[in-house]
Amino acid sequence: MSQPMRRFWRALVASVAVAATALSLAACTGQPSGGGSSGSAKMLRIAQIGNASFVRNFNPFSPTSLGTTKTAVYESLVVTNLAKGEVVPWLAKSYEWSKDGRTLTFHLNDNLTWSDGQALTADDVVYTFTLAKKVLGESTYDYVSSVTAPDQTTVVFAFSRAYTPGLAEIGVQPIVPEHVWSTIDDPAKYQNPDPVASGPFTQVSNFSAQSYDLLRNPNYWQKDKANYPGLRVVAYGGNDAANIAAINGDIDWGLGFIQDIQTTYVDKDPQHRGYWFPPVGSTIALTLNTTVKPLDDVNLRKAISMAIDRSDVVKTGMSGYAEPADCTGLSAAYDSWRDPAVSGSCDWTTYDVDGAKALLDKAGYKVGADGMRVAPDGQPVAFTIGVGSASTDWISVAQVISDDLAKVGISAKLKVQDWSQINQALFGGTFTGNIAWSQAGITPYDYYRSAMSCTTVKPVGKDATQNFQRFCSKEADALLDQFAATSSEDEQHAIMNKLQALYSQLAPTIPLFPGPDWGAYNSTNFVGWPSEDNPYATLSVSESSAVLVYTTLTPRS
């Protein structure tokens, strides 16, 4: 049998297997018995991609909690909407800073309740932040010197130093009920299978490894919102199975990466289907472990970057849904912050094979007899590119990079495993290379802090939630501190320009493209979806702004 014919049969067998998996999982998306056929009785069907199976963990302090824990079950004082770069008051109806920037006061909405009917008060907020420091470590919110509740609807955070990013950090912390969590012996390990929370959907039902239901909170404080039975959440191990289910009309929200989405998905039912991929997600990068030699060499990192054809990366790997990153690393969410003086001189993020070879030669990475590069110490220049098996788009991205680097004599083989395995190495610092994400916030502060702040570096063997490359710049820390200490927009922009220049100088990561905030929907059963014309939230089911979607959607009448 010829090689093309073998590839054809392998692809056919694989597609049949994926289809069978999707059909099996689609059986989980049927509406609950007795739900009727009218739109008002429908469950909102959501795909959770990348989960081969679910573990019943609704602990908001746990890094392995289910995705709905912080978007539908628990709520925070405010919600951030990257689509508009805004902070939306939520449990808190308002907030204000003191003139010196060292006191932040939140005013809670009246008549807040927990799902068990008890009142949610300022005391619960105070308790939450005390517990967060205990569970997450004393360095958590280290700028907060005290949290007090002058009355039942007012919470005052006193800072040890002026720190303007504190609004977004404190504001998005999920709030938990003191009367429940004060009775838990080990809050860090507790899986919280039946949560008492304030969100619109809190009642866990029909839980299995493949799907579960979250029914409406019977005591939801926003009584005129989220008036439908609940969410049905289905696990999909990868994009392909989820996309087949979506194409077949088996899910309402949560479509993954899909090639030619207009033809493949929308055109099947243009009256009810839509998508929106704003480039405001975290910047996706080739992240290299700088604790491993010679990946700690900025010249090597820049040469690797120059060897990557980002136009091919976004065309082949991302089906044209993304734009190549520049040397600031910033997404479109931060266009108002981008310094043209830096972005206009991005030599090391420009595709230049000859330039990459010249830089490698100059830095001492010579070509060996086999055509591959060796470091000055004689060791081969080689690393792996880790990527989760569920992310078919990122696998294609990694393959383009691997092929490009081979052209300059660098071996970068793909390491495709389940995301749980990839993340274990990525978080623990035992990887060499990885396709990875970055932090994102209302300003670029979080991006640059996660890219090069010494305060975010964890020792190898201890899990990191950011700065996976473990890169430390004391100069960056000084600039970040200056940015956080001022509330002057002019001063913040001037400092941010310096951070952009420093990032371009040091190349702590190799930015590839600003991640599109994937989002597609089926409005057969529900209406009111966010869009480019109505960006009240992104269309990403995993963003914190998902709660804005849950509480805006209404059943189709």
Side-chain angles (χ1 to χ4, degrees):
M1 185 182 292
S2 67
Q3 283 296 108
M5 186 59 70
R6 288 193 185 97
R7 285 196 294 268
F8 168 79
W9 283 110
R10 281 198 296 266
L12 178 61
V13 170
S15 66
V16 170
V18 167
T21 300
L23 289 171
S24 174
L25 291 172
C28 298
T29 66
Q31 299 300 331
S33 60
S37 58
S38 66
S40 62
K42 296 286 188 180
M43 301 279 280
L44 180 65
R45 302 165 301 173
I46 297 171
Q48 286 285 321
I49 300 172
N51 294 94
S53 62
F54 291 135
V55 174
R56 191 165 174 164
N57 181 356
F58 293 97
N59 181 343
F61 301 105
S62 169
T64 58
S65 63
L66 290 165
T68 53
T69 302
K70 298 179 182 180
T71 61
V73 178
Y74 288 91
E75 295 178 309
S76 51
L77 297 172
V78 301
V79 176
T80 55
N81 175 19
L82 292 178
K84 294 177 71 174
E86 66 180 3
V87 173
V88 181
W90 203 246
L91 290 177
K93 62 183 177 182
S94 64
Y95 58 87
E96 73 255 357
W97 286 97
S98 61
K99 289 184 178 180
D100 63 2
R102 296 181 64 166
T103 303
L104 177 59
T105 302
F106 289 92
H107 302 282
L108 303 184
N109 281 288
D110 298 324
N111 301 317
L112 295 175
T113 55
W114 296 109
S115 54
D116 63 359
Q118 292 201 36
L120 189 165
T121 71
D123 291 334
D124 292 304
V125 179
V126 172
Y127 174 78
T128 295
F129 284 89
T130 302
L131 182 60
K133 291 183 74 70
K134 176 182 177 182
V135 174
L136 303 176
E138 286 299 317
S139 61
T140 305
Y141 308 119
D142 62 346
Y143 49 88
V144 176
S145 56
S146 68
V147 188
T148 56
D151 58 54
Q152 292 299 283
T153 59
T154 305
V155 185
V156 179
F157 291 83
F159 289 8
S160 58
R161 63 183 188 276
Y163 185 71
T164 54
L167 170 61
E169 294 179 8
I170 289 170
V172 300
Q173 169 65 50
I175 305 303
V176 301
E178 181 178 9
H179 68 277
V180 173
W181 285 82
S182 61
T183 67
I184 306 302
D185 292 333
D186 191 345
K189 295 181 179 179
Y190 181 55
Q191 291 194 324
N192 195 28
D194 295 296
V196 173
S198 68
F201 302 102
T202 57
Q203 310 304 103
V204 184
S205 179
N206 300 321
F207 195 95
S208 73
Q210 294 303 314
S211 70
Y212 64 91
D213 294 345
L214 280 178
L215 305 183
R216 193 179 190 279
N217 178 349
N219 294 295
Y220 191 44
W221 59 279
Q222 298 189 88
K223 300 186 185 306
D224 60 337
K225 295 186 176 182
N227 282 315
Y228 48 96
L231 314 179
R232 173 148 296 171
V233 188
V234 183
Y236 292 95
N239 291 331
D240 290 342
N243 291 342
I244 290 173
I247 291 167
N248 290 338
D250 293 327
I251 60 175
D252 301 308
W253 190 23
L255 185 67
F257 168 81
I258 184 171
Q259 293 185 353
D260 191 9
I261 188 172
Q262 183 66 42
T263 301
T264 307
Y265 177 69
V266 175
D267 288 350
K268 304 294 184 185
D269 185 4
Q271 182 180 352
H272 297 115
R273 297 183 180 187
Y275 71 96
W276 180 37
F277 298 160
V280 297
S282 68
T283 297
I284 307 306
L286 172 60
T287 298
L288 301 175
N289 190 339
T290 62
T291 69
V292 178
K293 291 185 176 297
L295 302 178
D296 60 338
D297 182 358
V298 62
N299 290 314
L300 175 60
R301 295 196 301 274
K302 287 190 172 182
I304 289 172
S305 177
M306 294 166 68
I308 297 171
D309 185 351
R310 286 170 174 77
S311 294
D312 192 19
V313 164
V314 298
K315 179 181 178 182
T316 302
M318 300 300 294
S319 296
Y321 296 144
E323 295 291 333
D326 64 25
C327 61
T328 68
L330 298 179
S331 76
Y334 310 120
D335 280 346
S336 64
W337 293 89
R338 197 183 311 274
D339 183 2
V342 179
S343 61
S345 57
C346 293
D347 56 345
W348 65 276
T349 52
T350 301
Y351 183 47
D352 183 358
V353 174
D354 290 338
K357 290 179 178 178
L359 182 55
L360 288 167
D361 291 340
K362 183 178 179 180
Y365 298 95
K366 304 302 182 183
V367 178
D370 59 355
M372 305 305 287
R373 299 273 174 174
V374 293
D377 63 2
Q379 295 299 311
V381 180
F383 60 89
T384 58
I385 304 177
V387 63
S389 56
S391 300
T392 52
D393 48 346
W394 286 9
I395 292 172
S396 297
V397 165
Q399 189 60 62
V400 171
I401 295 172
S402 179
D403 293 344
D404 284 346
L405 294 182
K407 297 173 186 175
V408 298
I410 294 176
S411 173
K413 295 181 180 179
L414 270 64
K415 181 180 180 181
V416 180
Q417 296 177 319
D418 186 82
W419 267 118
S420 61
Q421 297 171 285
I422 292 294
N423 286 342
Q424 184 177 9
L426 180 66
F427 298 167
T430 58
F431 72 105
T432 50
N434 222 91
I435 304 297
W437 54 96
S438 60
Q439 298 295 106
I442 297 300
T443 73
Y445 174 88
D446 291 306
Y447 176 73
Y448 288 125
R449 184 172 183 270
S450 71
M452 49 186 177
S453 171
C454 301
T455 64
T456 59
V457 174
K458 297 289 187 183
V460 172
K462 291 195 173 183
D463 281 355
T465 57
Q466 56 184 311
N467 199 346
F468 304 122
Q469 62 276 8
R470 287 164 165 78
F471 186 90
C472 168
S473 166
K474 292 183 178 179
E475 185 177 354
D477 278 333
L479 289 170
L480 289 165
D481 287 345
Q482 292 172 30
F483 181 93
T486 180
S487 58
S488 164
E489 289 189 12
D490 289 341
E491 290 181 16
Q492 285 189 333
H493 276 270
I495 296 165
M496 195 53 65
N497 289 347
K498 293 179 181 179
L499 278 165
Q500 291 174 61
L502 184 62
Y503 176 90
S504 183
Q505 173 191 331
L506 299 176
T509 62
I510 299 175
L512 300 172
F513 52 87
D517 231 349
W518 302 116
Y521 62 84
N522 185 331
S523 67
T524 300
N525 298 322
F526 293 88
V527 296
W529 299 94
S531 65
E532 186 173 4
D533 294 331
N534 185 20
Y536 68 84
T538 69
L539 257 179
S540 171
V541 73
S542 60
E543 293 282 355
S544 64
S545 62
V547 71
L548 302 178
V549 181
Y550 293 138
T551 52
T552 300
L553 294 179
T554 57
R556 182 179 288 277
S557 57

